[in-house]
């Protein structure tokens, strides 16, 4: 049967396509972790970079101060050397009064000693107005230097000389309060590899010292001339960043006192920032590891979260599919994430469940209607049966009464005219009609048992058995029967129907022990399948077990009518009563050795109230 | 005062014959008026447009239940519903031993309910006892005055 969809719940809305939660959760967590790692790494890097830069700046400034101190001492020494030379007797004599003889002495004096020979490339004596008087070594650059150092003496500018740098140191030659000339020494800028190492150790690895002139045109790294290491720097004495040929540097430039020189100390930014970069690398490495672990954890978490969701979704989809009659679920997982799918599946399932419920209700209503119809039919059938029984009761007996009555009339009125055989025949007619009367009565009783309502109560079976046997004893006081009744046997059932059953069972026992000397009848109970099985036992005629199955059918008799009277309905009545109680009845026996009839009043597992 | 007559309401002629014989064989000599159906019984008691009612009421009514036209229970109801016959002794004499017939009979005011045995000897004995009891032992109610 079909149930129309109510509007508005026919199809669950299709959610927009989205990444599954299983992916989204790790992505969100991973993204957050990445941001945290990046921010933390950057902050740490920046802090370390600032700290490194500050340390480098301080170190550069300190190094510059120390080197300047050394240079100052050097300049003082150079000045002293030049002044000592200017004070030389031969030189002074030649300067005051030049002569060929004195020139030779003066030139000898100008020649440097063993200690200075490596450094001093040339020396000269010039007159106060700049004319050369005497010289030692190559004085081709004379003209330049007379101007540079002229007049006042002191240290002159740096100048390139081949593959090295030279500078001049001049001192005035004074005599009698007047300057007679100047002594000029040209010195090659030189330092041993050892002293450079010492300097480098002083200022730290990566740092470089340069000496240049204040114009910035000439630079030396103390070993030889070099190209300008950085873009031009004012000798401000502050550390600043600057660009050089080989990258960015931190640099400080300071003028060297009493000279036209500039001291430049540089350190590559790469060196300064190396610890920060190392820190950043380490931090990034740790960050990547943390990120990886976080992603894994998030993946596992999302799996553990979405696993049950997915299972639930599958179940719900399967349920919905089942409710839809085995059709595959509508586009499983199309679009949306797990939650959307779950919601969709639930919605589908809910619709199906509602449909199923409606269908069920409709079916129940239908069944109820059918049952009501059947009940009406049953009531009608019962009414018919009632009418039939009523008719039987009235109409079948009336002819029997006529047959019996008029036979008796014949016997009474015409006895003289009848011979013995005729009288016997009439007696047989009477007996037969009376027997048929009994049959009709028993049939009606059986029919009534089928129709009667059951009223269930607690029944004292022992007391009932005592009453029935007492009646039997009263009906035949001449008989001697040993009756044993177990005390306190009770059961739930209809007292009237159970009395009928016991009347028949005990009546049978009574009847079939009629020819047994020392007749015994016993009523008791035994356990059978966990429920009490009551029994009526006698030591009477018994029966052949071969026919045990026929015992409980109506009008089935195992004994010839002449031997024991009865209609054969009694056990059918017992069977009817016990069956209506939900119980079972069966018999055991042997010919000539008695019979035992068992019955239970509940189904073996119990719990069913028969009404 | 009643006439001492018996009104036998019975449709089966065999039963009528046997009942009369049983009564007679038991020395019941009272008049027996036979009504073959419920209408006849009611006509006898209350009269009709063509026939007047019997001048006197019977001492007892032996009433079968299954009757043509008007059945026994309805006859009983009419007897009890009429002022004149309200106390008239009525014995239901029938083949039925259905509980509902017994109960309905007593509910409508039957004085007695006797089931006809198949055995004629027993039937005759029952007829004797009925005659003895209702005609001799039982004190009938005083007859109401006829209007």
């Amino acid at each position: 049967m079909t149930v129309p969809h109510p509007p508005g719940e026919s199809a669950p809305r299709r959610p927009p396509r989205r990444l599954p939660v299983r992916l989204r959760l790790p992505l969100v967590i991973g993204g957050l972790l990445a941001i945290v790692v990046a921010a933390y790494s950057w902050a740490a890097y920046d802090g370390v970079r600032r700290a490194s830069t500050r340390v480098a700046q301080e170190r550069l400034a300190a190094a510059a101060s120390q080197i300047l101190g050394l240079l100052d001492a050097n300049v003082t020494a150079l000045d002293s050397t030049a002044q000592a030379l200017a004070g030389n007797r031969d030189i002074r004599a030649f300067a005051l009064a030049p002569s060929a003889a004195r020139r030779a002495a003066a030139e000898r004096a100008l020649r440097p000693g063993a200690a200075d020979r490596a450094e001093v490339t040339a020396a000269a004596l010039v007159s106060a107005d700049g004319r050369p008087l005497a010289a030692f070594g190559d004085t081709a650059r004379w003209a330049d230097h007379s101007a540079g150092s002229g007049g006042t003496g002191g240290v002159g500018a740096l100048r390139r000389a081949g593959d090295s740098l030279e500078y001049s140191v001049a001192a005035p030659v004074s005599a009698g309060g007047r300057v007679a000339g100047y002594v000029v020494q040209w010195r090659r800028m030189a330092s041993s590899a050892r002293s450079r190492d010492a300097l480098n150790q002083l200022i730290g690895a990566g740092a470089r010292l340069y000496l240049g002139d204040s114009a910035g045109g000439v630079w030396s790294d103390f070993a030889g001339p070099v190209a300008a290491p950085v873009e031009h720097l004012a000798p401000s004495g502050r550390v600043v960043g600057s660009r050089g040929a080989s990258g960015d540097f931190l640099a400080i430039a300071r003028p060297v006192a009493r000279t036209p020189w500039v001291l430049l100390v540089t350190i590559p930014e790469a060196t300064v920032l190396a610890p920060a970069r190392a820190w950043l690398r380490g931090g990034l490495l740790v960050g990547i590891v943390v990120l990886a672990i976080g992603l894994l954890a998030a993946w596992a978490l999302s799996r553990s979260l979405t696993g049950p969701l997915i299972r639930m979704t599958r179940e719900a989809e399967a349920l919905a599919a089942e409710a839809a009659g085995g059709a595959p679920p509508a586009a499983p997982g199309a679009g949306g994430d797990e939650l959307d799918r779950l919601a969709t599946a639930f919605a589908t399932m809910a619709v199906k469940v509602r449909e199923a419920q409606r269908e069920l209700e409709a079916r129940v209503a239908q069944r109820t209607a059918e049952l009501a119809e059947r009940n009406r039919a049953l009531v009608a059938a019962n009414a018919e049966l009632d009418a039939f029984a009523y008719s039987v009761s009235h109409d079948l007996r009336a002819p029997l009464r006529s047959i019996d009555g008029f036979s008796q009339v014949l016997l009474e009125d015409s006895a003289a005219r009848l011979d013995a055989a005729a009288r016997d025949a009439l007696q047989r007619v009477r007996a037969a009609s009376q027997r048929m009367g009994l049959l009709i009565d028993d049939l009606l009783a059986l029919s009534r048992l089928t129709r009667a309502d059951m009223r269930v109560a607690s029944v004292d079976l022992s007391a009932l058995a005592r009453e029935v046997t007492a009646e039997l004893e009263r009906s035949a006081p001449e008989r001697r029967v040993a009756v044993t009744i177990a005390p306190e046997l009770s059961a739930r059932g209809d007292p009237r129907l159970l009395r009928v059953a016991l009347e028949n069972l005990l009546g049978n026992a009574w009847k079939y022990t009629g020819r047994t000397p020392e007749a015994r009848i016993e009523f008791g109970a035994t356990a059978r399948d966990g429920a009490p099985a009551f029994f009526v036992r006698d030591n009477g005629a018994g029966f052949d077990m071969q026919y045990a199955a026929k015992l409980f059918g109506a009008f089935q008799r195992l004994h010839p009518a002449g031997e024991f009277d009865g209609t054969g309905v009694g056990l059918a009545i017992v069977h009817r009563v016990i069956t209506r109680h939900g119980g079972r009845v069966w018999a055991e026996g042997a010919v000539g050795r008695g019979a035992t009839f068992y019955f239970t009043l509940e189904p073996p597992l119990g719990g069913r109230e028969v009404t | 005062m009643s006439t001492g007559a018996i009104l036998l309401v019975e449709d089966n002629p065999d039963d009528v014959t046997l009942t009369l014989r049983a009564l007679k064989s038991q020395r019941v000599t009272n008049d027996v008026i036979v009504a073959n159906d419920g209408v006849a019984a009611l006509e006898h008691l209350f009269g009709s447009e063509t026939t007047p009612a019997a001048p006197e009421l019977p001492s007892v009514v032996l009433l079968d239940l299954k009757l043509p036209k008007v059945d026994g229970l309805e006859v009983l109801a009419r007897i009890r519903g009429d002022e004149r016959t309200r106390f008239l002794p009525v014995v239901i004499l029938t083949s039925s031993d259905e509980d509902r017939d017994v109960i309905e009979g007593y509910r409508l005011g039957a004085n007695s309910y006797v089931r006809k045995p198949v055995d004629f000897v027993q039937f005759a004995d029952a007829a004797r006892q009925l005659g003895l009891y209702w005609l001799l032992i039982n004190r009938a109610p005083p007859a109401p005055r006829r209007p």
Side-chain angles (χ1 to χ4, degrees), chain A residues 401-456:
Chain A
R401 236 179 4 256
S402 296
I403 294 166
D404 185 81
F406 289 108
S407 301
Q408 181 63 18
V409 168
L410 271 181
L411 281 171
E412 285 174 5
D413 294 0
S414 313
R417 277 180 282 161
L418 295 174
D419 57 12
R423 280 198 300 275
D424 180 57
L426 282 173
Q427 286 296 355
R428 283 175 187 272
V429 169
R430 287 197 62 207
S433 43
Q434 282 165 28
R435 186 169 157 65
M436 188 160 172
L438 286 177
L439 276 171
I440 290 169
D441 285 351
D442 282 352
L443 257 184
L444 286 174
L446 184 59
S447 150
R448 235 176 270 137
L449 279 181
T450 310
R451 288 175 289 144
D453 290 337
M454 282 198 34
R455 292 186 182 83
V456 175

Side-chain angles (χ1 to χ4, degrees), chain B residues 44-57:
Chain B
H44 175 80
L45 289 173
F46 305 118
S48 69
E49 287 173 2
T50 53
T51 51
E56 301 294 340
L57 289 178

Side-chain angles (χ1 to χ4, degrees), chain A residues 483-561:
Chain A
V483 177
T484 313
I485 293 170
E488 293 178 3
L489 297 181
S490 64
R492 285 192 66 76
D494 184 310
R496 200 168 47 91
L497 293 182
L498 289 178
R499 187 188 182 92
V500 169
L502 278 182
E503 276 172 359
N504 276 286
L505 288 173
L506 290 166
N508 270 357
W510 187 266
K511 186 162 69 183
Y512 290 106
T513 51
R515 299 180 178 196
T516 309
E518 295 183 27
R520 285 195 309 276
I521 295 175
E522 183 188 356
F523 176 64
T526 178
R528 201 54 76 88
D529 296 335
F534 304 98
F535 64 84
V536 174
R537 181 174 293 146
D538 66 67
N539 62 341
F543 62 92
D544 188 341
M545 277 301 275
Q546 199 181 334
Y547 305 115
K550 291 189 168 182
L551 278 174
F552 299 98
F555 305 112
Q556 294 281 352
R557 301 199 74 231
L558 299 186
H559 297 275

Side-chain angles (χ1 to χ4, degrees), chain A residues 153-179:
Chain A
V155 178
L158 289 171
R159 53 166 291 177
R160 186 182 289 267
D163 57 351
S164 66
L165 289 181
E166 283 180 349
Y167 58 90
S168 60
V169 184
V173 180
S174 313
R178 126 186 127 80
V179 174

